Amino acid sequence: MPKQVPVENLVIPPQDGRICGTICICQMTAVLSSVALVYLTVAIYMPSTRAFQSGISEVPVMCTTIRAVNADNCEWGSCGEWCLSKTSGPCVQIHVNLRKNGSTILLANCTNTTNKTCYGIDQENAKKSKCIADECRNLTGTFNCSSGVCINITDAFECIFHDTDPPLKCSGRRGKITCIDIDGLFNCNRGTCERIRTPYNCDRRCVDIPTRNKNMILLSGDKVYLSQCERAIDVQTNREIWHEDRGDVMMASCYGIFNSTLGVEAVDCINGSVLEKDLLTDLTNFTYLSYLNIFATKPLDETRMVAPPEQDLIIANESRLLINLEGCVNTLREECKEFLHEYGKDGSDHNARARFPCYYAESNTGVVVSRFNLETTYKEFLIALLLPSILFVVSCLTLIFCQRTVVVGDDAKMRFKGTVGALVSIEKSASGNLGDAGGGNSAMAL
């Protein structure tokens, strides 16, 4: 059995590893904490301070996208993927109109309910024909084109028009050059396309919406809710605003329609109106319902307090939309791609415009944000401030403690002051030096 070597005689004693490890970890923690404090100053501290001082109300209002612009050089963008590298290059700018919230309406005793979704064209997944790649030579039907890229909308929309521009021949040897930058709505036949002039009307091929025996019609984006209800109640005042005994049809545009224990609850309802039943047949289409919702002349509430016309609620006709106060995110999870896809729907593709809650400051209605939560911002600020600060202070104090208490003996081994090993090492060192004073083989004796 090999003889056990005393701990003090080991080349690298255990305490050396522990002391060195502690010092290395503390140094690394101090460096990383200081770097984090510098980074978080830009990423958290400054944005949080601006949020606290912004004056934005935490009570959301409603926004509707009116225009989404792809700008080549812009001073602001609705969403950027990395806040530290924001540039003045290409970006997407979303403009919205800002208005107060509509009414919340409770529908009681509803039966014979129908939910109809009128799908339009999914711009992201639709097949695109690029004229520069000579893919427009055989286009036939109705196409929505932008910068020479055309999407077939024939199956989703039926367009009625009267005037067109002179035809462009997208086939043949020079076809791809002729149609390289066509833009607008085109009626094409075997590669010969005519731009449709305004005014025109494109009706979604959603023509089988059943309105027979229905006295309640609610529009919500691309969806239509139809039912036979007994009455409608304004949730805020608990006042009955409509009853089936009136013999007419109630209609409104709402942000959301949900089932609850009390009945069907419709949130943020505007443009409330009542229609005579003779305005509707057994089946109707989405375009006609949208027209009635906007231009129906008989309001639901004569006082215009419940489901009022949209123009009565307008705060600002046009505002800039930002994802947050900074107009950018730092997650690198393609949040902006999803944000722009969801909030950038401006109706240019003949689909419903995006409608969503947003936040603004009364002193600045020109800018709105889609994300704003002071409580969450405060928590993130505290965590981002306290965690790296505490780690930095603790690591620095530990390093100072090690510098004050750790000694290195003549044997190149580290020990804490006051330990037996440290005292023995110091005594040996002292006695060795005294012995050398009288001569001998020491270099000091020469």
Side-chain angles (χ1 to χ4, degrees):
M1 183 175 180
K3 184 178 179 181
Q4 188 173 4
V5 180
V7 173
E8 285 297 323
N9 294 334
L10 292 174
V11 177
I12 303 178
Q15 74 270 13
D16 276 35
R18 289 192 289 268
I19 294 173
C20 286
T22 301
I23 293 174
C24 289
I25 291 175
C26 289
Q27 287 177 334
M28 181 181 66
T29 303
V31 171
L32 293 179
S33 299
S34 59
V35 172
L37 288 170
V38 174
Y39 168 75
L40 292 174
T41 299
V42 179
I44 299 293
Y45 307 148
M46 294 173 62
S48 297
T49 303
R50 281 192 285 267
F52 298 144
Q53 299 174 349
S54 64
I56 294 178
S57 172
E58 290 190 87
V59 179
V61 291
M62 295 302 296
C63 287
T64 303
T65 301
I66 57 175
R67 190 170 72 256
V69 180
N70 290 297
D72 293 330
N73 292 292
C74 49
E75 297 180 355
W76 68 276
S78 292
C79 187
E81 282 291 353
W82 188 243
C83 293
L84 296 181
S85 61
K86 287 196 301 183
T87 65
S88 58
C91 66
V92 177
Q93 299 174 336
I94 299 177
H95 300 262
V96 300
N97 72 4
L98 176 67
R99 64 169 175 82
K100 300 175 184 177
N101 293 313
S103 304
T104 299
I105 298 175
L106 181 65
L107 309 179
N109 300 328
C110 294
T111 59
N112 192 22
T113 299
T114 300
N115 287 287
K116 181 73 174 180
T117 300
C118 295
Y119 295 100
I121 296 294
D122 185 353
Q123 296 280 348
E124 295 294 325
N125 300 318
K127 181 181 178 181
K128 300 177 177 63
S129 299
K130 298 180 180 179
C131 295
I132 188 61
D134 205 18
E135 297 175 354
C136 300
R137 60 169 60 192
N138 294 317
L139 295 184
T140 298
T142 305
F143 289 82
N144 189 23
C145 300
S146 176
S147 301
V149 179
C150 298
I151 298 176
N152 192 345
I153 65 171
T154 307
D155 294 336
F157 296 92
E158 181 180 1
C159 295
I160 299 175
F161 55 91
H162 301 286
D163 298 323
T164 60
D165 288 343
L168 298 174
K169 192 173 182 180
C170 298
S171 58
R173 296 178 59 185
R174 294 188 55 82
K176 60 182 181 180
I177 304 300
T178 303
C179 301
I180 190 173
D181 58 354
I182 58 175
D183 195 276
L185 193 65
F186 285 81
N187 181 45
C188 301
N189 183 21
R190 295 183 179 180
T192 300
C193 298
E194 301 172 328
R195 187 176 184 276
I196 299 175
R197 293 182 178 178
T198 55
Y200 59 82
N201 179 48
C202 288
D203 181 23
R204 298 191 200 189
R205 296 187 184 274
C206 192
V207 296
D208 55 348
I209 301 176
T211 55
R212 185 178 182 182
N213 297 327
K214 302 289 193 299
N215 60 12
M216 183 66 59
I217 302 176
L218 300 179
L219 302 180
S220 180
D222 294 323
K223 300 178 181 179
V224 185
Y225 172 88
L226 306 100
S227 188
Q228 180 78 25
C229 298
E230 179 183 345
R231 55 183 179 149
I233 301 171
D234 177 30
V235 173
Q236 184 176 2
T237 61
N238 201 29
R239 177 171 64 93
E240 183 179 287
I241 56 174
W242 177 89
H243 197 279
E244 64 176 347
D245 293 341
R246 295 175 50 162
D248 50 19
V249 178
M250 173 181 161
M251 190 174 187
S253 173
C254 304
Y255 170 66
I257 303 170
F258 313 97
N259 289 318
S260 67
T261 55
L262 300 177
V264 178
E265 188 171 319
V267 180
D268 184 49
C269 293
I270 58 174
N271 295 332
S273 60
V274 288
L275 311 173
E276 298 298 330
K277 288 189 175 181
D278 56 8
L279 291 176
L280 299 171
T281 57
D282 290 348
L283 296 174
T284 189
N285 60 65
F286 187 83
T287 301
Y288 183 59
L289 290 180
S290 300
Y291 170 82
L292 291 177
N293 177 243
I294 297 175
F295 296 103
T297 56
K298 190 174 181 181
L300 172 65
D301 182 21
E302 295 294 340
T303 63
R304 300 166 75 100
M305 298 299 294
V306 179
E310 185 174 12
Q311 59 267 23
D312 291 0
L313 302 173
I314 292 294
I315 300 173
N317 288 318
E318 184 171 327
S319 303
R320 299 176 179 180
L321 173 67
L322 305 179
I323 188 171
N324 50 35
L325 278 174
E326 304 304 309
C328 57
V329 292
N330 291 312
T331 58
L332 296 180
R333 293 183 299 185
E334 295 189 343
E335 282 188 75
C336 285
K337 182 179 179 180
E338 298 177 4
F339 173 83
L340 297 174
H341 175 69
E342 180 179 356
Y343 294 90
K345 298 176 181 177
D346 59 359
S348 59
D349 57 355
H350 304 286
N351 290 320
R353 293 180 173 181
R355 177 175 169 184
F356 49 90
C358 56
Y359 305 86
Y360 80 106
E362 292 185 359
S363 59
N364 183 15
T365 59
V367 177
V368 299
V369 296
S370 64
R371 299 179 183 178
F372 189 78
N373 189 320
L374 282 180
E375 182 178 355
T376 301
T377 302
Y378 183 71
K379 290 180 180 179
E380 291 176 350
F381 178 81
L382 284 181
I383 294 173
L385 178 64
L386 294 178
L387 184 59
S389 299
I390 291 174
L391 289 175
F392 180 78
V393 171
V394 170
S395 59
C396 288
L397 291 177
T398 304
L399 290 173
I400 294 173
F401 174 77
C402 291
Q403 191 268 336
R404 296 283 186 178
T405 59
V406 174
V407 295
V408 180
D410 288 347
D411 55 359
K413 297 175 182 178
M414 291 185 291
R415 300 173 181 85
F416 284 103
K417 291 180 180 179
T419 60
V420 176
L423 294 175
V424 171
S425 176
I426 294 173
E427 289 175 358
K428 288 182 178 180
S429 176
S431 62
N433 290 336
L434 289 173
D436 288 341
N441 296 327
S442 173
M444 295 297 295
L446 297 178

